[in-house]
Amino acid sequence: MSPDNVVWLGSPGFPEAARTALADPQLRRNLRKATTTIRDKRLAVTAELDDWEQLREAGAEIKRRTLRHLDTHLLRLEESITKAGGVVHWAADAAEANRIVTALVAATGETEVVKVKSMATQEIGLNEALAEAGIHAYETDLAELIVQLGDDRPSHILVPAIHRNRAEIREIFLREMAAWGRPAPADLTDEPRALAEAARLHLREKFLRAKVAVSGANFAIAETGTVGVVESEGNGRMCLTLPQTLITVMGIEKVLPQWQDLEVFLQLLPRSSTGERMNPYTSTWTGPTPGDGPQTFHLVLFDNGRTDTLADTVGRQALGCIRCSACLNVCPVYERTGGHAYGSVYPGPIGAILTPQLVGVDHAETLPFASTLCGACYDACPVKINIPEVLTHLRAKVIEAKRAKRRTPTAEALAMRAATAILANPGRLAAAQRAASLGGRMIARKGVIGPLPGPLHGWTDARDTPAPPAESFRGWWKRTKEQGGNHR
């Protein structure tokens, strides 16, 4: 599978990209304000539920059980959708998914589509593929519209334009809207209401004109063939009801076994993502309905590395992600660097474990290290994905991959070999302990020579290193035992 669409080719590794982001004070202010606001709202609404932890465990168990029998549920989903009058297409990778969607749009004779916000279509690079075929894809989510007009990249799963403040958004609207359709008012201010109204007027003509819509999916129910999208602005509802043809692009992991499972996820998702008790717009459809809404429905199910991820018994839990972005909003690394530093359509802690698995650790080897392993992401995740566990698991894979390529051992490997040789022999261990004790007493701040000069000066000046005891426990044990001491 090609990583071209999941990761942004040409992007620097995370350490270099993070340094650039950290040097932008405006970016850091924007991120801090937005993540703090969302985080506080989430904590308030989750605290209202006495059974929040039980809901998290229920969601995690449904996802685990579904992934164990994913093939069965996908086949049942195809059967249910076909029975309801829809058409299911299977794609092994991004290129195949793009070919299918492009062909479906071309078959309608249309040259433009309206889109519901979708991480799946970003992952496969659908907009770019459609553009190459002469088809214009218009984003209708407000944040996605800002990103598209600004020729930018998303920086957040839930709020793609989180790195922009309202003054920057006003400038983008004034500069770019006219080239995409209805221009922004000449007297546009940076008031949120005015910006939203400019976007609404700009998009309305596209909603009324478009004959084809493309969406992602939050869930698809195998039992009934129902597909669902949740959103906050109403643009999704417009795209899902006005066009004649609806094409939904979905990763295979989004399937749920039965309708009843939605009871859990429709409580977990809005609280974890937007800090709302329920989504303002929850749209579900089961195939086309004669005379009401789209008359043709296609579901494109794509793999794009998910089967390989499923084979990893530790890493597969990343496929349980419901794209709420709660882990981003609590991550101290993300809050300071933003999403662009991750070089992927999936930023933050979930991106640090999902992207390397979808594209291979050799294509995203720095991402598993983009974390302090503080565990805040695990505590926030509504489906209890143990992100720190997967991060350490992937770090080991990165190290092993590098080790396999090296002809000479690293300094770390040599140190570990030396430690093995010492720890495997009692005599060597005792000698090493005696040497360490002597050295430790020499560099201790209140030891023999006090703070050290040279490169260690800064360390010893700022830290009071306690002097180790003159005799180790092993030495004491051996001496007293030889003297007939009682160790009980």
Side-chain angles (χ1 to χ4, degrees):
M1 184 204 72
S2 170
D4 295 15
N5 299 299
V6 183
V7 295
W8 298 323
L9 295 186
S11 297
F14 183 84
E16 182 181 346
R19 279 192 291 270
T20 302
L22 290 171
D24 185 342
Q26 183 62 59
L27 172 66
R28 295 184 65 178
R29 282 193 293 270
N30 294 347
L31 290 168
R32 182 170 60 252
K33 180 178 180 180
T35 56
T36 300
T37 300
I38 300 172
R39 184 165 64 237
D40 290 346
K41 288 177 64 178
R42 172 190 163 273
L43 288 173
V45 296
T46 57
E48 295 174 350
L49 298 182
D50 294 335
D51 62 345
W52 177 249
E53 290 304 316
Q54 288 84 351
L55 279 169
R56 290 181 70 209
E57 185 57 48
E61 178 55 33
I62 291 171
K63 283 293 187 177
R64 285 193 293 265
R65 188 172 65 247
T66 303
L67 290 173
R68 283 199 299 270
H69 305 286
L70 186 59
D71 54 344
T72 300
H73 298 308
L74 288 171
L75 291 174
R76 189 181 183 194
L77 175 65
E78 179 184 33
E79 180 183 355
S80 298
I81 287 179
T82 303
K83 185 176 180 180
V87 181
V88 176
H89 308 263
W90 299 86
D93 55 23
E96 187 173 6
N98 286 332
R99 284 196 299 270
I100 291 170
V101 176
T102 301
L104 291 174
V105 177
T108 67
E110 296 295 320
T111 58
E112 61 181 26
V113 301
V114 288
K115 288 186 66 210
V116 185
K117 180 180 181 298
S118 165
M119 296 297 294
T121 59
Q122 290 173 7
E123 177 186 331
I124 64 175
L126 179 61
N127 286 10
E128 293 78 7
L130 290 174
E132 290 180 3
I135 300 168
H136 299 282
Y138 297 109
E139 298 289 352
T140 63
D141 173 84
L142 176 56
E144 289 288 356
L145 174 65
I146 295 166
V147 170
Q148 186 176 51
L149 292 178
D151 193 22
D152 202 351
R153 289 169 172 171
S155 184
H156 192 276
I157 290 176
L158 176 69
V159 194
I162 195 172
H163 56 293
R164 299 290 192 183
N165 61 32
R166 63 191 196 184
E168 293 173 309
I169 294 169
R170 172 184 177 272
E171 292 303 316
I172 291 172
F173 281 8
L174 288 172
R175 185 178 67 246
E176 302 293 342
M177 266 190 174
W180 290 77
R182 179 169 178 156
D187 59 349
L188 180 66
T189 70
D190 64 0
E191 288 299 313
R193 182 184 295 273
L195 295 173
E197 181 64 15
R200 183 180 297 112
L201 294 174
H202 176 80
L203 291 170
R204 183 55 57 97
E205 64 177 13
K206 293 179 171 56
F207 288 137
L208 297 176
R209 186 178 67 235
K211 302 298 182 183
V212 181
V214 175
S215 83
N218 291 100
F219 311 104
I221 311 302
E223 176 186 34
T224 60
T226 302
V227 182
V229 166
V230 296
E231 39 108 10
S232 300
E233 300 172 12
N235 62 294
R237 181 68 57 83
M238 299 286 277
C239 292
L240 297 168
T241 55
L242 293 179
Q244 291 297 302
T245 300
L246 174 59
I247 303 169
T248 298
V249 182
M250 187 184 92
I252 57 175
E253 81 281 13
K254 294 295 186 70
V255 65
L256 294 176
Q258 55 188 3
W259 179 264
Q260 186 177 355
D261 296 331
L262 282 178
E263 175 188 0
V264 173
F265 293 102
L266 291 183
Q267 294 183 75
L268 289 173
L269 181 56
R271 285 178 165 84
S272 297
S273 57
T274 58
E276 296 170 297
R277 296 176 182 85
M278 65 180 292
N279 290 98
Y281 296 89
T282 299
S283 302
T284 62
W285 63 97
T286 308
T289 300
D292 184 14
Q295 297 304 290
T296 304
F297 170 58
H298 297 271
L299 176 64
V300 180
L301 291 166
F302 70 93
D303 187 314
N304 211 38
R306 286 157 174 77
T307 298
D308 292 338
T309 303
L310 190 62
D312 187 328
T313 55
V314 176
R316 69 170 57 159
Q317 57 186 301
L319 295 178
C321 176
I322 58 174
R323 308 293 191 267
C324 69
S325 76
C327 62
L328 281 70
N329 299 325
V330 299
C331 178
V333 176
Y334 175 86
E335 184 178 322
R336 287 157 179 80
T337 65
H340 292 164
Y342 293 81
S344 167
V345 297
Y346 297 113
I350 187 62
I353 64 171
L354 184 58
T355 300
Q357 295 190 89
L358 293 181
V359 305
V361 293
D362 53 329
H363 293 291
E365 62 181 17
T366 62
L367 288 186
F369 298 91
S371 170
T372 64
L373 298 180
C374 66
C377 50
Y378 183 26
D379 294 337
C381 179
V383 290
K384 303 184 75 169
I385 299 172
N386 193 338
I387 294 178
E389 178 187 35
V390 183
L391 284 168
T392 55
H393 172 67
L394 294 177
R395 288 180 183 186
K397 284 192 171 187
V398 172
I399 297 301
E400 289 301 323
K402 288 184 176 180
R403 182 178 299 166
K405 294 178 181 179
R406 284 183 178 271
R407 294 186 178 181
T408 58
T410 63
E412 180 185 17
L414 291 173
M416 289 299 103
R417 289 180 188 177
T420 300
I422 292 171
L423 295 172
N425 184 287
R428 293 176 193 149
L429 177 59
Q433 286 180 323
R434 287 193 296 271
S437 177
L438 177 60
R441 291 198 302 277
M442 290 182 66
I443 68 171
R445 198 168 194 182
K446 298 179 181 179
V448 178
I449 64 175
L452 294 179
L456 292 180
H457 176 74
W459 175 271
T460 55
D461 264 0
R463 293 166 177 81
D464 189 4
T465 306
E471 185 178 36
S472 70
F473 175 81
R474 288 168 56 86
W476 169 84
W477 180 280
K478 181 179 180 181
R479 176 174 57 78
T480 55
K481 184 177 182 180
E482 291 174 349
Q483 294 173 358
N486 186 356
H487 295 133
R488 294 184 181 180

